[in-house]
Amino acid sequence: MFFRRKRGGVIVVELPDELRQLLGRLTEDLRDLLLVDDDDRLRRLYPTADPQHPDRDQEFQQLMHGELIESRLAALDTVDRCLAATTVDEDQLTQWMQATNSLRLVLGTQLDVSEDDGPVARDHPEAATYALYDLLNLLLGEMVEVLSGTLPRGGSE
């Protein structure tokens, strides 16, 4: 378990140093992608809002795109600021969750994963990238569970 809530609401972050370093590199890469803003891997970050009405969807994208980028960049900034922390608050973990989900969506787009995909063989050319995708899913799941209160609380440390 990488995240657990202590009494009093503080959330303990127990990530190995290697994972913290990896997350730092991934957030940097995603920040660069967001600033370029014309990369197909970002497709899942900006899904179609109204597929039945392309004009409405285009209007929505024009109105919201800048705010979505700012929100994602702010989440990445929070992760970067808190990457070495051993505890975070709920707001910070919510930002971690947003950043992790964005990373997961970009990686999923790169891999072209779908809900129907099964496990990938160890000798698959993208096995390491799929393993990273699975790790991001695990991290995101734990964050959701901690924030929703479904993970057991830690002690009174």
Side-chain angles (χ1 to χ4, degrees):
M1 203 162 38
F2 298 112
F3 303 95
R4 63 184 167 84
R5 186 184 297 270
K6 288 177 25 176
R7 290 191 182 122
V10 173
I11 299 158
V12 177
V13 179
E14 297 177 325
L15 298 174
D17 289 339
E18 299 83 18
L19 183 50
R20 290 175 191 267
Q21 291 169 6
L22 174 62
L23 288 173
R25 287 191 304 273
L26 291 172
T27 58
E28 184 178 324
D29 291 347
L30 181 55
R31 180 177 288 102
D32 291 345
L33 269 178
L34 289 170
L35 294 174
V36 168
D37 193 40
D38 191 23
D39 191 299
D40 189 52
R41 291 173 290 177
L42 298 174
R43 178 172 29 99
R44 291 184 186 179
L45 293 182
Y46 310 106
T48 302
D50 192 346
Q52 302 299 324
H53 301 94
D55 291 343
R56 286 188 206 164
D57 181 62
Q58 183 179 9
E59 182 179 331
F60 173 80
Q61 296 296 337
Q62 288 173 341
L63 288 172
M64 297 304 300
H65 193 77
E67 285 185 42
L68 291 171
I69 289 174
E70 285 180 27
S71 174
R72 287 187 173 92
L73 290 172
L76 294 171
D77 289 344
T78 298
V79 172
D80 289 343
R81 274 194 317 276
C82 299
L83 207 48
T86 57
T87 61
V88 294
D89 61 29
E90 283 191 10
D91 290 338
Q92 290 167 325
L93 190 62
T94 299
Q95 293 289 300
W96 275 55
M97 192 169 60
Q98 181 183 358
T100 302
N101 190 50
S102 294
L103 289 166
R104 186 186 68 80
L105 288 171
V106 169
L107 202 55
T109 302
Q110 178 182 328
L111 294 168
D112 197 28
V113 296
S114 74
E115 292 181 14
D116 299 330
D117 290 348
V120 173
R122 290 182 185 204
D123 62 345
H124 187 283
E126 296 281 350
T129 309
Y130 277 97
L132 178 57
Y133 179 78
D134 290 341
L135 176 62
L136 292 171
N137 281 327
L138 174 69
L139 290 172
L140 182 62
E142 279 195 21
M143 291 177 211
V144 169
E145 289 176 352
V146 165
L147 288 171
S148 69
T150 57
L151 278 181
R153 289 188 184 271
S156 59
E157 300 128 8

